[in-house]
Amino acid sequence: MRWLWCLFFLAACATSDAPVTPEKRYSAWGEVIPLAEAQQVDAPALLLNVQDLSIAWLTTTPVDTYHTINGTLLTIPTTDPYHQTLYPADNAFKHLIWLDAAVDGDGMRIWSAWISPQETTERGPIPVSDRPSYRYAVLPMPDQSLWLVWSGDLPGEPNLYSQFIDNHGRNRLPQRITSDADYPAFAGNHLYWINVLNNTVHQADFTNGVIDNERELVQIPELYLGDWLLNFQVGQDQTHTYLVWNIQRASGNVETWFSAGTGDDWMSPTRLGINPQPQTRFETGFNGGSALTAVNGDVWLSWAAVLPGQFSHFVMAAQAGNQLGVVYLKAGQVVGWQSVVTLELGLIGTPQLRTDRNLHLYLTWVDTDGYLNLTTTHPEIQHDMTRWFLPR
């Protein structure tokens, strides 16, 4: 199975004594920046705060596993950390959120830390959740505080909890908001989740940790014996909301499925594929150059990662064949595709796509070249990040 292969691959990367000499690579946006040797399957976490770029990943040494932000090793005790995310905090600080083992060994917990602009840990690690935890979603607030919604309790009977973290990294106690629910996701001030009893997506208004006007939307794509729902994401364009599922089939193949809708009108989940139109030009609206016009087709996408925010198009990074690129949808239909970089063999985890206020794009990923990679349309960031390059 693919996940087992990934474990062997990453173990080899972590234990190899060979010198790090990545070959120089280029994307459609510029140079591919190798941040570190890959010791995780998902992409490094990105935070664009005004014009500052912060990137977090995991570093494993013979002693322990550490969080790394912008090349600085944080002295935060960890056991088995994963799913890192970064959010802005007060006075140019950062919230670092992740999942890791509980101190007493009773399952996983959500943890947080308050990180200074100099990449020092000013508060943390703080255990956020108080019971076995599985997945979480974050809603950043204008004052740089956070609302978290996370799933916890028994694996077969998860409930959703909401929890507040202030802009100095201090959290309140959680409160349960709904039962039989997992895979929380935010889009605007709406919370989405999967009801585990009937495998349907639910939506509710979310205000100050409380949900209201709950409604059922659609069935999730069908899962068969041995299939695994990798993640569930939600995004928007100007008219529609999109539900996105990455599914690893029992064969090891990863598929991306989606549904689009508005109000009570939702399409049934459909596998996402594209048909790029040669010799065409599609204006993306971002500072990443033009793309190709595309329509729905049978060039199947996988490992999709939603760009947070609401734009004229719904935007995702995804793999298509041996290309990692950006797909654009509008009103529920594929309208554009831009190939960004050629992959060695393929992704081994979900990439991450972000934009800044000037609409430059930033893309991180891990593929079988063995490195955590970054490419961006921002020329100054490309130049300034030479201090993070691995030696060539």
Side-chain angles (χ1 to χ4, degrees):
M1 293 180 64
R2 187 187 183 103
W3 65 267
L4 187 59
W5 181 90
C6 290
L7 290 179
F8 286 126
F9 170 78
L10 293 176
C13 290
T15 58
S16 174
D17 293 326
V20 180
T21 54
E23 296 182 3
K24 185 169 287 192
R25 299 170 62 190
Y26 291 90
S27 74
W29 300 340
E31 187 171 356
V32 173
I33 301 168
L35 300 169
E37 287 189 273
Q39 294 164 12
Q40 60 192 66
V41 295
D42 285 333
L46 289 171
L47 170 62
L48 279 301
N49 190 8
V50 188
Q51 288 208 353
D52 292 330
L53 170 65
S54 294
I55 310 178
W57 64 86
L58 298 172
T59 299
T60 298
T61 72
V63 177
D64 212 338
T65 298
Y66 299 92
H67 297 283
T68 300
I69 298 183
N70 296 348
T72 299
L73 222 62
L74 303 183
T75 55
I76 298 177
T78 64
T79 301
D80 187 22
Y82 67 100
H83 191 191
Q84 294 172 309
T85 53
L86 285 172
Y87 297 92
D90 187 49
N91 198 26
F93 278 62
K94 294 178 277 285
H95 298 283
L96 174 64
I97 314 291
W98 71 97
L99 277 157
D100 202 349
V103 173
D104 60 6
D106 180 24
M108 306 300 286
R109 297 289 189 274
I110 297 166
W111 297 80
S112 71
W114 194 51
I115 309 299
S116 77
Q118 293 74 39
E119 324 302 353
T120 59
T121 306
E122 298 300 306
R123 181 171 290 119
I126 301 170
V128 177
S129 58
D130 60 357
R131 62 201 66 207
S133 310
Y134 310 109
R135 278 157 280 272
Y136 69 89
V138 179
L139 179 63
M141 304 304 292
D143 68 350
Q144 300 180 325
S145 61
L146 307 175
W147 276 104
L148 270 67
V149 171
W150 49 271
S151 58
D153 293 320
L154 296 175
E157 301 175 356
N159 301 301
L160 289 187
Y161 293 83
S162 66
Q163 194 159 5
F164 181 76
I165 298 179
D166 73 11
N167 55 18
H168 282 231
R170 297 166 296 206
N171 58 282
R172 298 176 188 167
L173 293 174
Q175 56 180 334
R176 192 171 76 168
I177 55 175
T178 191
S179 58
D180 302 311
D182 203 352
Y183 294 91
F186 281 108
N189 290 320
H190 290 126
L191 176 67
Y192 299 77
W193 68 91
I194 295 175
N195 182 287
V196 299
L197 294 182
N198 58 12
N199 287 331
T200 57
V201 175
H202 286 222
Q203 177 200 58
D205 303 331
F206 184 90
T207 306
N208 293 328
V210 178
I211 61 172
D212 193 19
N213 298 323
E214 180 180 343
R215 47 231 180 243
E216 183 178 299
L217 302 182
V218 294
Q219 287 283 140
I220 71 171
E222 191 164 2
L223 299 175
Y224 304 97
L225 184 65
D227 292 346
W228 179 26
L229 178 57
L230 295 170
N231 51 57
F232 168 61
Q233 304 166 72
V234 183
Q236 297 173 318
D237 62 19
Q238 298 293 339
T239 61
H240 284 65
T241 298
Y242 297 78
L243 313 176
V244 179
W245 301 267
N246 283 316
I247 297 171
Q248 187 173 51
R249 298 299 184 184
S251 64
N253 294 327
V254 175
E255 301 174 357
T256 294
W257 290 65
F258 83 106
S259 173
T262 179
D264 295 326
D265 184 17
W266 289 82
M267 60 181 280
S268 298
T270 303
R271 190 176 178 188
L272 182 56
I274 60 173
N275 182 14
Q277 307 296 295
Q279 309 303 316
T280 61
R281 184 181 179 90
F282 174 77
E283 293 299 331
T284 68
F286 294 87
N287 285 319
S290 62
L292 296 177
T293 299
V295 296
N296 296 73
D298 57 4
V299 178
W300 301 117
L301 301 187
S302 61
W303 294 113
V306 171
L307 175 67
Q310 188 172 18
F311 307 95
S312 59
H313 298 91
F314 173 60
V315 186
M316 293 186 293
Q319 178 179 335
N322 69 341
Q323 297 294 306
L324 174 59
V326 181
V327 60
Y328 298 83
L329 291 87
K330 191 176 183 66
Q333 300 295 318
V334 173
V335 293
W337 165 259
Q338 183 183 31
S339 293
V340 176
V341 65
T342 300
L343 302 170
E344 296 290 325
L345 290 176
L347 298 176
I348 59 174
T350 308
Q352 190 161 132
L353 181 67
R354 294 292 186 269
T355 187
D356 60 24
R357 65 181 183 179
N358 295 319
L359 298 181
H360 283 288
L361 292 171
Y362 302 75
L363 177 63
T364 58
W365 73 94
V366 184
D367 67 14
T368 51
D369 69 352
Y371 301 102
L372 308 176
N373 296 302
L374 164 75
T375 191
T376 174
T377 64
H378 198 306
E380 293 179 10
I381 293 294
Q382 290 264 4
H383 175 75
D384 291 345
M385 288 190 61
T386 54
R387 68 187 187 280
W388 295 344
F389 283 9
L390 289 170
R392 295 188 184 280

Short mmCIF file of all heavy atoms in Angstrom, two decimals, residues 49 89 125 128 137 243-244 256 280 284 286 295 316 323 333 345 367:
data_model
loop_
_atom_site.label_atom_id
_atom_site.label_comp_id
_atom_site.label_asym_id
_atom_site.label_seq_id
_atom_site.Cartn_x
_atom_site.Cartn_y
_atom_site.Cartn_z
N ASN A 49 1.89 36.77 6.47
CA ASN A 49 1.42 37.81 7.37
C ASN A 49 1.96 39.15 6.86
O ASN A 49 3.15 39.43 7.01
CB ASN A 49 1.90 37.55 8.80
CG ASN A 49 1.24 38.46 9.81
OD1 ASN A 49 0.32 39.19 9.48
ND2 ASN A 49 1.70 38.41 11.04
N ALA A 89 -0.57 35.90 15.20
CA ALA A 89 -0.93 36.26 16.57
C ALA A 89 -0.59 37.72 16.79
O ALA A 89 -0.16 38.42 15.88
CB ALA A 89 -0.21 35.36 17.57
N PRO A 125 4.84 24.15 25.03
CA PRO A 125 3.63 23.65 24.39
C PRO A 125 2.44 23.60 25.35
O PRO A 125 2.59 23.26 26.52
CB PRO A 125 4.03 22.24 23.95
CG PRO A 125 5.07 21.81 24.94
CD PRO A 125 5.82 23.07 25.29
N VAL A 128 -4.16 21.73 24.16
CA VAL A 128 -5.42 22.42 23.88
C VAL A 128 -6.60 21.49 24.15
O VAL A 128 -7.48 21.81 24.95
CB VAL A 128 -5.45 22.92 22.42
CG1 VAL A 128 -6.78 23.57 22.09
CG2 VAL A 128 -4.30 23.91 22.19
N ALA A 137 -10.00 22.10 12.76
CA ALA A 137 -10.10 23.22 11.82
C ALA A 137 -9.97 24.51 12.61
O ALA A 137 -10.32 24.57 13.79
CB ALA A 137 -11.43 23.18 11.08
N LEU A 243 -17.10 21.43 -1.77
CA LEU A 243 -16.69 20.40 -0.82
C LEU A 243 -15.70 19.51 -1.55
O LEU A 243 -15.96 19.05 -2.67
CB LEU A 243 -17.90 19.58 -0.37
CG LEU A 243 -19.16 20.37 0.03
CD1 LEU A 243 -20.30 19.40 0.35
CD2 LEU A 243 -18.87 21.28 1.21
N VAL A 244 -14.55 19.24 -0.93
CA VAL A 244 -13.47 18.51 -1.59
C VAL A 244 -13.01 17.36 -0.69
O VAL A 244 -12.72 17.57 0.50
CB VAL A 244 -12.28 19.44 -1.90
CG1 VAL A 244 -11.15 18.66 -2.56
CG2 VAL A 244 -12.73 20.59 -2.79
N THR A 256 -9.31 12.69 -6.08
CA THR A 256 -9.96 13.88 -5.56
C THR A 256 -11.38 13.93 -6.08
O THR A 256 -11.61 13.83 -7.30
CB THR A 256 -9.20 15.15 -5.96
OG1 THR A 256 -7.92 15.16 -5.33
CG2 THR A 256 -9.96 16.40 -5.55
N THR A 280 -4.42 27.85 -25.67
CA THR A 280 -5.40 28.80 -25.14
C THR A 280 -4.75 29.60 -24.02
O THR A 280 -3.63 29.28 -23.58
CB THR A 280 -6.66 28.10 -24.61
OG1 THR A 280 -6.28 27.21 -23.55
CG2 THR A 280 -7.35 27.33 -25.72
N THR A 284 -5.67 34.07 -14.65
CA THR A 284 -5.99 33.50 -13.34
C THR A 284 -6.43 34.55 -12.32
O THR A 284 -7.11 34.21 -11.35
CB THR A 284 -4.76 32.76 -12.76
OG1 THR A 284 -3.74 33.72 -12.45
CG2 THR A 284 -4.23 31.75 -13.76
N PHE A 286 -4.21 36.02 -10.50
CA PHE A 286 -3.09 36.03 -9.55
C PHE A 286 -1.81 36.40 -10.30
O PHE A 286 -1.74 36.31 -11.53
CB PHE A 286 -2.93 34.66 -8.88
CG PHE A 286 -4.08 34.29 -8.00
CD1 PHE A 286 -5.20 33.65 -8.51
CD2 PHE A 286 -4.05 34.59 -6.64
CE1 PHE A 286 -6.27 33.32 -7.69
CE2 PHE A 286 -5.11 34.26 -5.81
CZ PHE A 286 -6.23 33.63 -6.34
N VAL A 295 -11.55 22.44 -19.16
CA VAL A 295 -12.92 22.04 -18.86
C VAL A 295 -12.86 20.75 -18.05
O VAL A 295 -11.80 20.13 -17.90
CB VAL A 295 -13.75 21.83 -20.15
CG1 VAL A 295 -13.88 23.14 -20.92
CG2 VAL A 295 -13.11 20.75 -21.03
N MET A 316 -7.35 25.54 -6.31
CA MET A 316 -6.70 24.43 -5.60
C MET A 316 -5.38 24.08 -6.27
O MET A 316 -5.26 24.16 -7.49
CB MET A 316 -7.59 23.18 -5.61
CG MET A 316 -8.87 23.27 -4.82
SD MET A 316 -9.73 21.67 -4.79
CE MET A 316 -10.19 21.48 -6.51
N GLN A 323 2.50 16.22 -13.19
CA GLN A 323 2.54 17.67 -12.98
C GLN A 323 1.84 18.05 -11.67
O GLN A 323 0.77 17.52 -11.36
CB GLN A 323 1.85 18.40 -14.14
CG GLN A 323 2.52 18.19 -15.49
CD GLN A 323 3.91 18.79 -15.54
OE1 GLN A 323 4.10 19.97 -15.25
NE2 GLN A 323 4.89 17.98 -15.91
N GLN A 333 -17.72 24.52 -12.26
CA GLN A 333 -17.10 23.93 -13.45
C GLN A 333 -15.63 24.29 -13.52
O GLN A 333 -15.22 25.40 -13.16
CB GLN A 333 -17.80 24.42 -14.72
CG GLN A 333 -19.27 24.10 -14.79
CD GLN A 333 -19.54 22.60 -14.86
OE1 GLN A 333 -18.85 21.88 -15.58
NE2 GLN A 333 -20.55 22.14 -14.13
N LEU A 345 8.20 11.38 -9.24
CA LEU A 345 7.26 10.28 -9.43
C LEU A 345 5.85 10.64 -8.99
O LEU A 345 4.89 10.08 -9.48
CB LEU A 345 7.74 9.03 -8.66
CG LEU A 345 8.99 8.33 -9.18
CD1 LEU A 345 9.39 7.20 -8.26
CD2 LEU A 345 8.77 7.80 -10.60
N ASP A 367 7.56 15.45 -2.60
CA ASP A 367 7.42 14.36 -3.56
C ASP A 367 8.59 13.40 -3.39
O ASP A 367 9.35 13.48 -2.42
CB ASP A 367 7.27 14.88 -4.99
CG ASP A 367 8.52 15.57 -5.54
OD1 ASP A 367 9.60 15.43 -4.94
OD2 ASP A 367 8.42 16.25 -6.58
#
